[in-house]
Amino acid sequence: MRYPALLFTLLLVVSQSCAPTHYRLIYREENDTQVHPELRAVQLRWQSQRVVVKTLSGKKQQINANKVWGYEEKNGKRYRLYLDQFYEVVQSDGMTIYCRHNFGEGSTDEYFFSTTPNEELLYLSARNLKKAFATDECMLDLLQQLPTKSWLKTNSKGSLQLLDAYNYCQTPHSTVTYKVR
């Protein structure tokens, strides 16, 4: 009697893991009226500057890449299309942190940022952050205090420390000081 229950559980797990991931496109223009059903696949054809989407029914459609900001998975994970590549949105709260996953032996993930969700992506480095916030004394001061290795660490609420520092500098505050952990 144990084997049929075990076999059923195994088939259930396998069938769920083979289920397609569902996506939806995110357009650059807020008022774009094109509506797509849930998608099975999103691919970029950079030579032709087209995003090719495939619906759950198997129908393919090509969309001008200039109209597409990115896409979102059913689980909420978002990706932004920038200069012919998709970048995972790690966290967005005022400024946005992105990750490009590199594959292969010895490869590591690369992190980028933009000061708004539609600005250019810059490699996440002290030099680029200082350049982006050259006129923001608060942010420049916190960048001096905040060690590079703690930028992508999260607080108890799951917020990245770099974004916490940015948001602290964007809100009016009295003489309360930001504590670097």
Side-chain angles (χ1 to χ4, degrees):
M1 285 300 265
R2 283 184 170 174
Y3 293 114
L6 181 63
L7 183 59
F8 175 74
T9 304
L10 183 61
L11 286 173
L12 181 63
V13 169
V14 169
S15 68
Q16 287 177 348
S17 65
C18 294
T21 303
H22 299 261
Y23 306 96
R24 72 176 186 87
L25 286 182
I26 303 169
Y27 290 94
R28 290 190 183 281
E29 300 295 323
E30 294 276 334
N31 59 358
D32 197 322
T33 57
Q34 293 185 36
V35 176
H36 288 283
E38 286 189 328
L39 304 170
R40 182 183 309 167
V42 177
Q43 295 178 319
L44 175 65
R45 298 245 168 91
W46 60 269
Q47 302 92 339
S48 62
Q49 289 297 301
R50 299 273 186 224
V51 173
V52 179
V53 296
K54 189 175 186 179
T55 65
L56 295 177
S57 64
K59 181 181 174 188
K60 285 187 180 179
Q61 183 178 0
Q62 293 191 24
I63 300 155
N64 186 331
N66 292 331
K67 291 185 174 192
V68 177
W69 183 89
Y71 67 91
E72 181 176 51
E73 292 180 352
K74 191 175 187 175
N75 64 10
K77 193 179 284 191
R78 299 174 87 187
Y79 295 85
R80 178 179 173 192
L81 176 60
Y82 182 75
L83 295 181
D84 303 330
Q85 291 188 24
F86 283 110
Y87 294 81
E88 179 183 348
V89 176
V90 176
Q91 212 170 80
S92 184
D93 186 14
M95 73 186 259
T96 306
I97 306 294
Y98 306 89
C99 181
R100 181 173 62 197
H101 300 288
N102 298 316
F103 300 99
E105 189 175 322
S107 62
T108 59
D109 293 340
E110 294 178 288
Y111 290 90
F112 300 83
F113 76 97
S114 65
T115 53
T116 69
N118 295 315
E119 293 291 321
E120 69 175 319
L121 268 66
L122 298 171
Y123 185 76
L124 186 59
S125 67
R127 179 176 174 234
N128 285 339
L129 284 167
K130 287 176 185 174
K131 193 182 297 183
F133 297 107
T135 60
D136 186 337
E137 288 184 35
C138 176
M139 193 65 181
L140 290 174
D141 185 44
L142 287 179
L143 286 172
Q144 291 286 23
Q145 295 178 45
L146 195 62
T148 306
K149 62 184 174 186
S150 67
W151 291 349
L152 299 175
K153 288 184 179 178
T154 56
N155 64 19
S156 61
K157 296 179 183 177
S159 178
L160 296 175
Q161 286 189 20
L162 182 60
L163 293 183
D164 283 348
Y166 174 80
N167 288 324
Y168 171 80
C169 289
Q170 301 309 305
T171 56
H173 49 275
S174 60
T175 57
V176 177
T177 57
Y178 179 82
K179 293 184 179 181
V180 176
R181 290 172 233 132

